Amino acid sequence: MVGRSRRSPRGAEPPVDGRRRARPARPRPGTRGTRRAPGRGPSPPRRLGTVAAQVFLLQLIVVLVLVAAGAAAVVLQRRYDGETSAKQRSLAVAEAFAHAPGTALALQSPDPAALLRIPAEKAQLNSGVDYISVLNSHGIRVTDPEPKLIGTPAQEIGRAMAGKTFTETFHGKPTDSVRAVVPVIGADRHVVGIVTAGIEIQNLGRVLDQQIPMVLDAAALAVVLATAGTFLISRRLRRQTHGLGPAEMTRMYEHHDAVLHAVREGVLIVDADGRVLLANDEARRLLDLPEDADRRHVTELGLGPDMTRLLKSGEVASDAVFPAGDRLLAVNTRRTAPYGSAPGLVASFRDTTELRALSGRAEVARGRLTLLYEAGVRIGTTLDVRRTAQELAEVAVPRVADVVTVELLESVLHGEEPTGAENRMRRTALYETGTHNPLQPVGDLVRFVVADTPMGATLRRGKAVLVPDLHVAEDWRTRDPEGALRVLDHGIHSLITVPLRARGVVLGMVNLWRGTGSARFEEEDVAVAEELVARAAVAIDNARRYSREHAMAVTLQRSLLPRDLPEQDALELAWRYLPAQSGVGGDWFDVIPLPGFRVALVVGDVVGHGLHAAVTMGRLRTAVLNFSSLDLPPDELLSHLDEMVTRLDTQTAGADGEVSPVTGATCLYAVYDPAGGHCAVSRAGHLVPAVVDPAGRVTFPDLPLSPPLGVGGLPFETGELTLPEGSRLVLFTDGLVENRGRDIDEGLAMLGAAVAHPDRSPEETCRDLVEAMLPEHPSDDVALLVARTRLLDPSRVALWDVPFDVAEVSRMRAEVSRRLRDWGLEESAFAVELVLSELLTNAIRYGAPPVRVRILLGRCLICEVSDGSSTSPHLRRAATTDEGGRGLFLVSQFAERWGTRYVAHGKVIWAELGLGGTPTPDAETLLNAMTW
């Protein structure tokens, strides 16, 4: 083969050593280093067949393609920008005309055309659009630049009739255009007409036509510059080739041919049709090719089906191993397309027969590594102990064993520390290749009472035990001879038992069994089983710890939430709390009775999950309870709560980042007064509640919204609602209406549909919402509170305006006594008169007008005295020399509770008295208080 003359390929590089055939004379200065044939015209590199010319032509084509693509992109971009600008301009003009004062009124007048024609024409001239057309509520044009179109219906305006604004590229009559369609909304919030404004497509085309010549001129200049640059590069390339002739190329090829046939690696070159172009000597030897292998198809060489398929398909392969006779060949294939003049394939062959034995073991090792990698991915996907044990069994079957059982200690299943007797475990997982086996089912208690069994030995030694053949293992049968016989009859014949250990503590045990059709376990299988079980043990221990912490967090959170709703007469209440699947969160609610039969409703949400969120929720709920005891208005209460959160965040910032800040908590605080059905609501970043009237109509009132707690910077505001009796107030956290599959707007719409039913109790409303909106395992925790309002009977409310005179105190005592007799509460008259006298006297002596007295009868009797002063009285112990200061002490003795709350213009002092008659204060204490 060496020395064979072959035609040299075009464009080949000179030999590496730089040797070439001697030339008669050195090129003269000024020449390009190429040889001219006698009597010929231009030098060969200038012809199209030369490498330089071909490179020049190829580069020129690439440049032209790029320039053409760039020009097309510019034109398309300009057209797109023109349409976008036209849409924006049309939309601005249409919205301005539609929302202009008088447009809606003109459309509702008897003759809208007369009122709108001139304004539409002026707007069209001033805005630069091609037309402005106004349509009535039936889609009929009342004004249009084309008079013949007035009175005709417009096309494709259905979305605008539904109240939606849109822009589009319109194709149809009277002309193609880019238009904007805007509905005109009347005072009753209904569509009373439509305004369309647009720019015709042909006008956009004229602008584009003016730009195309400039783009083409720039493209032509780019082509000229690129061509000049390419020509210079090609000229330099021709100089560097030095005009190699056939002799030089032949000699270079001979060197390559000698190397090709001398190497100890087979080389086979195949064309695109699958025919052999070249086979070196080593390839002929390794593949046992016939003498006439050249130009024959690879399917005719007898190479075996797999190797033939690879060479025929032209696929790229690296170290693919194929048998060839008694040899094992490693095959590498690469395409010749980037290097040769025609597509094809180069295949190299290397004899790896001596690696055959090693390859089998390597394959086994690779399979085991793959198994361990898969175990790391598939085991521990959830923080559930039982699921993790099942995943271990599923990974091991059938790649390691035919049947796998997992037993765990009872304490581990309950998330506790591994304690108790190790010889008693609960079967937690069982997985097999078949459909039935004689082993104990999942849930059974498994006892290892015999120490000499493989299971007992595993627990005692703390490492795996191999039983290659169960038929000859007498110790294995001693625990349950009948059960062992059933196992053997089923075909199970080999066992590996491995302890499940984590942090040096036994969590359970894993048994791997092999049956009919599988080989016995060997020592190498033990190492794989131990590694597999060790990885699963870590996952099971993590799941156990998570279960324990989750249970602790849930217990903590439920202890911080209200266990039962307090008794009150103003509202009928129902609630739901659902923790998130991933862990407890910071959602909470509360119901707080206030003086005067009023009730405060609270719903809050702390961002995040876990113990920190639960503890933060408890702190906020406690703070709200404390602040509510001051009977503050909702906005003031949230202001105090915001200050507290800010202080907590400041303390957290100095704790080296160990605790997350509280910022991100939201809260809604509402106070309902049954005396008039008024509800004051203030919210800090929280969702607005839903209000359902007695007829089932649902609204989301527009209440002031302040930033979340801890953000600061803005004051809190209070919104007022008046709720008819029987209305339902639905307070909730965002977990009810928002999840990964829907946004808040969609969730609010679903909530409105779920509660839009009259005569539903709060309990039924809660059930409807949970069933309609929440999955079985929500991703976020949910707090839901539903309250149905009640009104205090007007006959049980008595109100008097009192002149600012101490002499009026006795008259008010008589008025109140008569009202108490009307209510059948004569036995309470003495205590009420005493309390009223003291409170009213203090209001007149130390307060400011106006003074009012209000008596409320409900679960108890409420006596309220209000005045215009903000000075609050305080209970104190009077000295023996003091002439006064004992009135509030008497009030505290006769009243069950008393206090002061501030209103917009003054204060209210209230006292709550029981209905079971006058309380009997301690005589000695009362006497001491009255002693001068």
Side-chain angles (χ1 to χ4, degrees), residues 380-391:
T381 58
T382 62
L383 292 173
D384 181 81
V385 174
R386 290 177 171 80
R387 179 57 192 163
T388 304
Q390 185 64 26
E391 289 171 346

Side-chain angles (χ1 to χ4, degrees), residues 381-456:
T381 58
T382 62
L383 292 173
D384 181 81
V385 174
R386 290 177 171 80
R387 179 57 192 163
T388 304
Q390 185 64 26
E391 289 171 346
L392 165 62
E394 292 175 358
V395 168
V397 176
R399 299 172 66 175
V400 178
D402 297 324
V403 183
V404 172
T405 59
V406 181
E407 290 82 41
L408 297 177
L409 295 173
E410 291 280 0
S411 56
V412 174
L413 290 173
H414 297 144
E416 303 169 359
E417 288 294 330
T419 56
E422 294 182 353
N423 59 354
R424 297 179 58 189
M425 298 183 184
R426 183 74 61 181
R427 178 147 294 172
T428 310
L430 187 152
Y431 196 72
E432 59 178 330
T433 55
T435 58
H436 175 70
N437 66 78
L439 302 175
Q440 290 179 256
V442 173
D444 275 15
L445 185 65
V446 181
R447 294 181 173 86
F448 311 106
V449 295
V450 180
D452 293 337
T453 61
M455 293 74 175

Side-chain angles (χ1 to χ4, degrees), residues 520-766:
R520 297 178 179 178
F521 283 118
E522 299 178 355
E523 290 294 338
E524 294 181 353
D525 299 317
V526 175
V528 176
E530 287 182 329
E531 179 67 22
L532 182 63
V533 173
R535 297 193 179 201
V538 174
I540 290 176
D541 190 52
N542 291 338
R544 177 194 63 80
R545 291 186 176 190
Y546 171 79
S547 299
R548 181 185 61 183
E549 294 181 1
H550 180 71
M552 292 173 56
V554 170
T555 302
L556 172 63
Q557 185 184 40
R558 292 194 179 277
S559 67
L560 297 175
L561 288 171
R563 296 187 179 182
D564 198 3
L565 298 180
E567 294 183 357
Q568 43 78 38
D569 295 330
L571 298 168
E572 180 184 355
L573 297 166
W575 61 274
R576 292 289 189 277
Y577 175 78
L578 288 86
Q581 181 182 14
S582 58
V584 297
D587 290 14
W588 93 93
F589 69 93
D590 216 337
V591 178
I592 307 170
L594 298 176
F597 302 127
R598 296 170 302 128
V599 178
L601 303 177
V602 190
V603 173
D605 184 2
V606 177
V607 175
H609 295 86
L611 285 175
H612 173 67
V615 171
T616 302
M617 176 270 290
R619 298 171 78 175
L620 294 180
R621 177 172 178 255
T622 302
V624 171
L625 286 171
N626 292 333
F627 290 143
S628 65
S629 64
L630 302 177
D631 207 353
L632 300 173
D635 54 343
E636 293 186 22
L637 185 142
L638 290 185
S639 297
H640 287 291
L641 192 63
D642 181 67
E643 293 177 4
M644 188 204 76
V645 170
T646 302
R647 290 196 299 271
L648 290 177
D649 286 347
T650 303
Q651 297 171 2
T652 302
D656 299 329
E658 294 182 0
V659 182
S660 301
V662 185
T663 303
T666 67
C667 183
L668 184 147
Y669 186 83
V671 176
Y672 175 71
D673 187 355
H678 302 294
C679 184
V681 183
S682 184
R683 56 195 185 114
H686 204 82
L687 294 172
V688 67
V691 178
V692 189
D693 66 10
R697 292 183 294 269
V698 182
T699 59
F700 294 92
D702 186 12
L703 297 172
L705 175 63
S706 301
L709 299 175
V711 175
L714 292 175
F716 292 89
E717 300 180 56
T718 298
E720 298 289 340
L721 299 175
T722 300
L723 304 176
E725 187 171 14
S727 299
R728 282 170 289 162
L729 191 63
V730 182
L731 289 75
F732 52 89
T733 56
D734 57 358
L736 179 68
V737 295
E738 184 181 23
N739 57 35
R740 298 174 183 174
R742 63 170 182 257
D743 57 15
I744 289 182
D745 292 337
E746 183 182 356
L748 291 176
M750 293 177 60
L751 184 147
V755 301
H757 302 287
D759 301 328
R760 300 291 284 177
S761 68
E763 183 64 30
E764 292 171 336
T765 303
C766 286

